Amino acid sequence: MASRRIAQSSINWAALAERVPPNQKTNLTAFKSMSDKYLRSVLANPETPPKMDWAFYQKNVPIAGMVEKFQKAYESLQIPYPADTLTSQVEAQEKQVLQEVAQFIKDSESRIAEYQAQIATTKSLLPFDQMTMEDFRDAYPDQALDPINRPTYWPHTPEDQKCDTPNEKAHH
């Protein structure tokens, strides 16, 4: 991969700041400060290394062959641009997260539909101040008093009921 000059930060800091929770804003600010400092230090240096005046050195250095040796070494120096080994991992992780997000959205839509059905059912009921005990029993059979099948004892709280088996306690 050829070396390319960084001209500006490719990070959309405003969009990132919107997604960061309030308790992490100081960390984001510190990270942005370090990133900006790094970018300034990169931009402070020239894009290409300075040109050497080899003729000047050949005239002024008395040792024969030394300038030619340094010139060959300087011109053959190639600093490799770091290879990108993490982009594929990040892209795979992004695909996985997008699948998880899609599954969460699908699950959320089914929960929303279920909750809307519950809301519709609740709205279709009589208001509690207009219900009779029979209406309440019809609407909420598991919560209504049933003295025949599930008798209770005063004060009718779950912890004050006599139960022969643990299963009966669960029904009260």
Side-chain angles (χ1 to χ4, degrees):
M1 178 176 194
S3 169
R4 63 181 175 88
R5 180 74 172 177
I6 298 172
Q8 65 182 9
S9 176
S10 61
I11 300 171
N12 185 348
W13 292 105
L16 188 60
E18 291 174 3
R19 296 180 176 163
V20 172
N23 62 341
Q24 295 290 323
K25 294 282 185 186
T26 55
N27 293 343
L28 176 67
T29 305
F31 178 66
K32 183 181 182 317
S33 170
M34 289 189 309
S35 176
D36 290 345
K37 180 181 173 187
Y38 174 74
L39 183 61
R40 282 191 302 273
S41 68
V42 167
L43 294 177
N45 295 318
E47 185 172 351
T48 58
K51 299 295 179 195
M52 303 289 278
D53 185 5
W54 296 107
F56 171 79
Y57 289 114
Q58 285 179 346
K59 281 191 271 180
N60 293 319
V61 175
I63 302 170
M66 182 179 207
V67 175
E68 290 83 11
K69 180 180 171 187
F70 280 137
Q71 184 177 4
K72 282 183 186 175
Y74 183 78
E75 289 173 354
S76 68
L77 177 66
Q78 292 293 324
I79 299 173
Y81 194 78
D84 184 7
T85 59
L86 299 177
T87 299
S88 61
Q89 294 174 6
V90 170
E91 288 172 351
Q93 188 177 20
E94 181 183 19
K95 286 179 184 176
Q96 178 185 357
V97 168
L98 289 175
Q99 289 174 350
E100 291 172 6
V101 167
Q103 183 63 40
F104 178 78
I105 289 171
K106 184 179 172 186
D107 294 344
S108 294
E109 288 171 351
S110 66
R111 285 192 302 270
I112 288 169
E114 179 184 326
Y115 296 149
Q116 287 175 336
Q118 290 176 4
I119 289 171
T121 302
T122 303
K123 284 184 176 182
S124 70
L125 294 175
L126 282 171
F128 284 115
D129 59 352
Q130 297 175 12
M131 272 188 187
T132 63
M133 292 300 281
E134 290 80 14
D135 293 331
F136 183 82
R137 184 200 61 220
D138 293 342
Y140 302 100
D142 56 331
Q143 296 176 12
L145 293 175
D146 186 0
I148 306 293
N149 299 321
R150 292 180 294 155
T152 58
Y153 302 98
W154 187 88
H156 306 288
T157 56
E159 57 271 356
D160 291 321
Q161 303 307 307
K162 282 185 161 182
C163 295
D164 296 335
T165 65
N167 287 342
E168 286 183 20
K169 191 166 193 126
H171 292 289
H172 290 289

